[in-house]
Amino acid sequence: MTALVRINPAALAPPPDNRHAHVVIAPAGGRTAYLAGQVALDRDGNVVGGRDHARQAEQCFVNIRDALAAIGAGPDRLVQMTIIVVDHHDALLPAINAAGERAFGADWPVTATTLIGAQALGHSAFLVEVNAIAALAD
């Protein structure tokens, strides 16, 4: 399987903690999978985490990990993630990053990532939503 290429141009500020890449290049000839926004629902449809951003984020990342596994891919195939956080503020960043570390472990995906603060998501119980794009082998 051809590796993704991750680039952080010298002309741009380095990503915090090297958790993200400014540019991710997928190999030619592969397929792309688009993962729908995942919220903090477990497999039975129960909201996980109550009003806790970190617990909800962890479930979102677990859902992304499990969706990838269902198509025979791992987090290393992720090229892009968008993380949407209700009532976002800077103090939430460490908790959201730690939630990703718990879900992905050593397989934390370095992706072209965007974090967006939002007033609300599709249901008032949801505090975090994560969608992603993965580059699959041909």
Side-chain angles (χ1 to χ4, degrees):
M1 184 178 301
T2 305
L4 302 175
V5 176
R6 293 170 173 88
I7 301 170
N8 289 310
L12 301 176
D17 300 323
N18 292 318
R19 293 182 181 276
H20 314 292
H22 285 294
V23 180
V24 180
I25 301 171
R31 297 174 298 140
T32 305
Y34 300 87
L35 285 65
Q38 296 299 305
V39 293
L41 292 176
D42 65 15
R43 68 177 297 143
D44 297 320
N46 300 307
V47 176
V48 173
R51 302 304 295 167
D52 184 324
H53 283 83
R55 290 190 61 220
Q56 284 208 12
E58 183 174 355
Q59 185 65 46
C60 295
F61 291 130
V62 164
N63 291 349
I64 292 288
R65 183 196 68 203
D66 293 349
L68 288 167
I71 58 172
D76 63 313
R77 301 313 300 174
L78 287 173
V79 296
Q80 192 274 337
M81 281 195 298
T82 300
I83 304 166
I84 305 163
V85 180
V86 172
D87 298 327
H88 173 68
H89 50 86
D90 290 349
L92 289 174
L93 286 173
I96 290 170
N97 286 335
E101 289 173 359
R102 287 190 301 276
F104 294 118
D107 294 327
W108 174 266
V110 175
T111 69
T113 302
T114 300
L115 189 144
I116 300 170
Q119 180 179 1
L121 294 171
H123 188 281
S124 61
F126 303 139
L127 300 176
V128 180
E129 184 169 340
V130 179
N131 64 58
I133 300 172
L136 308 176
D138 50 359

